[in-house]
């Protein structure tokens, strides 16, 4: 029976773009995206979509009202659909068993219970959310324990590999689509139905089918590998800063080896986003539960290195500003966890900003796509360390980079937005306090040019050259002392 109606539970960063692309490529399929948040659904039905993603507006405009619908009527959409994607959030558990590491499956479970309650006909239920390996078993247990007579279910795992900021392109030109299912004839038939949906635009050879557990684990593994590369290059960035090697040169030399490849080797202030940390913590927890402590410790290091990098960068900012930022004005350029998204979940900017506020700095923050309310809430609520009143008194949000940097002592670049590369730094320098510092946490700026303009520049993974402070003598950099000491001790 070919699929004619799809329901997607969860209108978030995954459910929204994924189903918009399915609707675009399969005009004969009616796709309904539902969410329990009426506010989110209202935004999907408005001119200003709830998420920023290049290319998304055009796809939604083309399909919405034709074969793409956003609704809060979850029951009706479940009832009508032959295939249901579960695309709800699976955050890290905040309390109870596995707190701080295990994935919280309460939203997946409640979605499964609702499907069981409503469904009067056979359904293919597809895990789109990232879940622990063998989660499909739990969903199946819920569905089978609550099923109505004559109703049968097939559970598939179809993890999503899109990256925020390039979601539409990733969906249209996916490297691969992964579908896992039961090895029974019914399981294979269900896999085939989902394959047919993707085959409207993805070549069959790029659709990989596996057993359910391999598919679930592959998603965690893919995110662990990606994050591991970032942590690996970031760990080397610390070595570069202490030796005179340049991490960009090292990354290029290493990445040209075809066995290694050049992608995901950009050193930075650290990775963020809703997935990497959560999925690796989940993997670590699974390994511990499986009594594999060595494997757990191995992947935990990827997270620990990321924390180290964020702290190291924040410490570098403070140390460079004469070890005190109390009452200094510092502009933060970029608050999203990466460019081309307004998502701030686990953004390194939160860590940097909170550390600086804690040290008494006054922050001027600008991000092209993050709302003021989101920034204030991230700084006040996350970890509940800073009082909202303190945040309000120390943080101002600006509508452009020029006003954000005016009269500040330093600029900290936390997100690699293209517009930050194009700014008129001569004008910015003229309007800043002197000496004017710039900390490039994303390695996107032309450091030589900035130095020539008079900026004191610091970045990641590159030994700081001796710079002349305008009007003062040559600075003896601590980093060089460390380097000489190391050689002296090695020789003696
Ligand atoms: P999100 O938080 O943006 O969206 C999830 C949505 O599900 C929310 O709007 C929430 O209200 C809704 N929801 C929760 N329970 C519901 C229910 N019972 N019925 C209807 N709606 C319900 O989350 P996001 O980022 O879309 O992630 C979803 C899943 O996809 C997660 O498991 C995540 O790990 C995974 N993923 C996320 C990627 C990303 O880049 N954000 C990439 C690949 C996978």
């Amino acid at each position: 029976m070919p699929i004619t109606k799809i329901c997607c539970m969860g209108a978030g960063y995954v459910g929204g773009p994924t189903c918009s692309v399915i609707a675009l490529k399969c005009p004969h399929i009616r796709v309904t995206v539902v969410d329990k948040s009426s506010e989110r659904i209202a935004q999907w039905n408005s001119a200003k979509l709830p998420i920023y993603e290049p290319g998304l507006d055009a796809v939604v405009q083309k399909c919405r009202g034709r074969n793409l619908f956003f609704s809060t009527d979850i029951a009706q959409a479940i009832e009508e659909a032959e295939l249901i994607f579960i695309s709800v959030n699976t955050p890290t558990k905040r309390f109870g068993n596995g707190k701080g590491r295990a994935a919280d499956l309460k939203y997946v479970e409640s979605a499964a219970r609702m499907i069981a309650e409503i469904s009067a006909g056979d359904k293919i239920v597809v895990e789109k959310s990232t879940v622990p390996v063998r989660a499909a078993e739990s969903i199946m247990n819920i569905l089978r324990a609550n099923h109505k007579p004559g109703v049968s279910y097939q559970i598939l795992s179809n993890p999503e590999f899109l990256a925020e900021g390039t979601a539409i392109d990733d969906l249209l030109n996916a490297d691969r689509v992964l579908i896992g299912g039961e090895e029974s004839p019914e399981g294979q038939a269900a896999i085939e139905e989902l394959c047919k949906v993707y085959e409207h635009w993805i070549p069959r050879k790029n659709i990989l089918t596996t057993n359910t557990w391999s598919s679930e684990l592959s998603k965690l593994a893919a995110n662990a590998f990606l994050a591991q590369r970032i942590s690996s290059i970031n760990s080397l960035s610390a070595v570069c800063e202490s030796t005179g090697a340049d991490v960009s040169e090292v990354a290029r030399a290493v990445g040209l080896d075809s066995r290694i490849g050049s992608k995901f080797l950009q050193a930075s202030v650290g990775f963020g986003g809703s997935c990497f940390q959560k999925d690796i913590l989940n993997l670590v927890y699974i390994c511990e539960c499986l009594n594999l402590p060595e494997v757990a410790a191995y992947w935990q290091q990827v997270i620990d290195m990321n924390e180290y990098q964020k702290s190291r960068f924040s410490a570098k900012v403070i140390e460079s500003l004469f070890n005190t930022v109390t009452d200094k004005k510092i502009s933060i350029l970029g608050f999203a966890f990466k460019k081309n998204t307004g998502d701030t979940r686990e953004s390194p900017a939160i860590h940097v900003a909170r550390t600086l506020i804690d040290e008494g700095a006054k922050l001027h923050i600008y991000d092209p796509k993050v709302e003021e309310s989101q920034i204030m809430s991230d700084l006040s609520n996350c970890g509940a360390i800073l009082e909202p009143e303190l945040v309000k008194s120390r943080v101002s949000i600006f509508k452009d980079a020029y006003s954000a940097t005016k009269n500040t002592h330093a600029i900290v670049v936390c997100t690699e937005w293209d517009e930050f590369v194009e700014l008129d730094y001569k004008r910015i320098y003229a309007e800043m306090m002197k000496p004017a510092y710039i900390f490039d946490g994303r390695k996107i700026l032309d450091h030589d040019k900035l130095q020539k303009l008079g900026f004191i520049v610091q970045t990641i993974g590159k030994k700081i050259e001796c710079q002349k402070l305008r009007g003062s003598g040559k600075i003896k950099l601590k980093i060089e002392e460390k380097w000489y000491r190391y050689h002296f001790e090695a020789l003696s």
Side-chain angles (χ1 to χ4, degrees):
M1 178 191 60
I3 305 295
T4 59
K5 290 194 190 76
I6 288 178
C7 161
C8 173
M9 301 178 79
Y13 285 87
V14 166
T18 307
C19 284
S20 300
V21 168
I22 293 178
L24 178 75
K25 293 294 179 181
C26 309
H28 59 288
I29 298 180
R30 183 186 165 93
V31 183
T32 307
V33 187
V34 293
D35 204 291
K36 59 184 187 176
S37 159
S38 50
E39 194 189 337
R40 214 162 204 189
I41 290 300
Q43 286 173 315
W44 278 108
N45 282 320
S46 76
K48 190 170 187 294
L49 301 182
I51 62 176
Y52 172 70
E53 215 27 92
L56 177 64
D57 281 23
V59 178
V60 171
Q61 260 171 35
K62 187 156 185 204
C63 304
R64 195 172 53 192
R66 180 189 77 177
N67 66 328
L68 175 65
F69 302 90
F70 295 94
S71 167
T72 47
D73 194 343
I74 304 178
Q76 191 190 343
I78 291 175
E79 200 180 321
E80 288 176 358
E82 297 111 11
L83 185 146
I84 302 166
F85 283 112
I86 298 181
S87 194
V88 301
N89 36 333
T90 49
T92 304
K93 263 183 106 168
R94 293 172 77 167
F95 51 83
N97 223 359
K99 169 184 158 187
R101 288 171 311 150
D104 191 340
L105 294 183
K106 69 178 174 201
Y107 302 109
V108 173
E109 180 177 338
S110 96
R113 285 188 187 280
M114 189 150 185
I115 294 169
E117 193 189 319
I118 307 287
S119 301
D122 296 351
K123 307 281 177 200
I124 299 174
V125 177
V126 184
E127 284 174 346
K128 182 61 86 183
S129 298
T130 305
V131 288
V133 58
R134 294 196 83 90
E137 202 168 28
S138 314
I139 298 177
M140 191 47 113
N141 286 340
I142 292 170
L143 293 176
R144 288 197 177 138
N146 294 286
H147 82 289
K148 299 209 174 80
V151 175
S152 74
Y153 297 101
Q154 275 303 316
I155 314 281
L156 300 179
S157 159
N158 172 219
E160 185 47 62
F161 294 102
L162 68 79
E164 285 176 34
T166 51
I168 298 300
D169 195 45
D170 293 344
L171 288 161
L172 290 173
N173 306 297
D175 290 338
R176 79 310 205 183
V177 164
L178 177 59
I179 305 174
E182 282 182 14
E183 275 148 9
S184 62
E186 297 80 8
Q188 294 301 306
I191 288 178
E192 195 48 39
E193 290 304 335
L194 186 54
C195 280
K196 280 188 201 144
V197 172
Y198 283 111
E199 268 183 82
H200 283 96
W201 77 99
I202 303 287
R204 181 73 198 217
K205 66 175 174 35
N206 294 355
I207 304 178
L208 194 65
T209 60
T210 64
N211 79 35
T212 316
W213 323 130
S214 305
S215 172
E216 289 175 332
L217 183 58
S218 298
K219 174 63 192 176
L220 295 182
N223 273 355
F225 269 66
L226 289 169
Q228 181 206 44
R229 282 175 73 94
I230 300 175
S231 278
S232 296
I233 199 71
N234 280 345
S235 74
L236 293 170
S237 74
V239 181
C240 289
E241 285 163 39
S242 298
T243 58
D246 178 339
V247 76
S248 304
E249 292 177 352
V250 174
R252 187 167 148 70
V254 169
L256 281 171
D257 185 326
S258 60
R259 294 168 301 176
I260 297 171
S262 59
K263 291 187 181 158
F264 259 70
L265 283 182
Q266 167 82 353
S268 71
V269 53
F271 61 74
S274 64
C275 295
F276 283 176
Q277 177 167 311
K278 142 179 111 62
D279 294 347
I280 297 174
L281 286 170
N282 184 0
L283 181 61
V284 168
Y285 183 69
I286 291 169
C287 294
E288 281 172 4
C289 293
L290 295 171
N291 201 19
L292 301 168
E294 290 81 2
V295 187
Y298 176 77
W299 289 111
Q300 179 64 43
Q301 265 302 309
V302 174
I303 303 283
D304 295 348
M305 185 52 63
N306 198 47
E307 290 303 310
Y308 169 70
Q309 189 75 348
K310 289 186 280 185
S311 304
R312 208 169 69 78
F313 182 69
S314 309
K316 181 192 275 212
V317 174
I318 296 163
E319 201 181 303
S320 306
L321 294 172
F322 310 105
N323 243 338
T324 174
V325 291
T326 308
D327 289 333
K328 281 187 182 142
K329 289 186 194 144
I330 300 179
S331 47
I332 304 278
L333 294 188
F335 205 77
F337 83 92
K338 67 193 285 199
K339 74 173 180 180
N340 293 336
T341 179
D343 195 353
T344 60
R345 290 178 288 182
E346 304 296 339
S347 176
I350 299 174
H351 182 110
V352 173
R354 290 171 66 93
T355 309
L356 295 175
I357 294 170
D358 221 20
E359 290 277 336
K362 294 201 162 139
L363 301 186
H364 291 196
I365 303 180
Y366 166 64
D367 186 285
K369 289 291 172 196
V370 183
E371 306 283 343
E372 171 163 357
S373 55
Q374 184 64 51
I375 297 177
M376 296 312 252
S377 132
D378 284 338
L379 292 176
S380 311
N381 302 333
C382 173
I385 302 165
L386 297 177
E387 294 293 329
E389 287 313 310
L390 176 77
V391 172
K392 261 192 216 152
S393 68
R394 295 269 172 80
V395 176
S396 312
I397 311 296
F398 289 80
K399 296 246 175 290
D400 68 277
Y402 295 106
S403 45
T405 52
K406 196 169 178 174
N407 291 328
T408 59
H409 296 84
I411 297 171
V412 184
V413 178
C414 286
T415 313
E416 72 280 23
W417 284 102
D418 291 343
E419 69 170 69
F420 298 158
V421 181
E422 308 297 334
L423 291 171
D424 177 354
Y425 283 97
K426 193 171 175 194
R427 170 179 164 194
I428 288 178
Y429 180 78
E431 294 180 342
M432 281 178 71
M433 312 284 268
K434 306 296 177 323
Y437 286 80
I438 194 155
F439 299 90
D440 183 1
R442 292 289 178 169
K443 298 177 69 62
I444 52 168
L445 304 179
D446 182 338
H447 302 143
D448 288 346
K449 198 168 144 195
L450 291 171
Q451 279 188 323
K452 280 186 193 128
L453 287 173
F455 281 104
I456 310 226
V457 185
Q458 296 271 5
T459 189
I460 282 167
K462 196 171 176 185
K463 185 174 176 238
I464 308 146
E465 295 298 333
C466 275
Q467 297 168 67
K468 268 196 165 180
L469 263 183
R470 293 209 157 167
S472 70
K474 212 176 185 183
I475 305 168
K476 180 86 182 144
L477 290 168
K478 259 190 192 164
I479 213 154
E480 294 204 315
E481 289 169 12
K482 271 191 216 155
W483 172 242
Y484 293 134
R485 208 176 318 129
Y486 166 79
H487 271 274
F488 180 74
E489 281 162 11
L491 287 170
S492 58

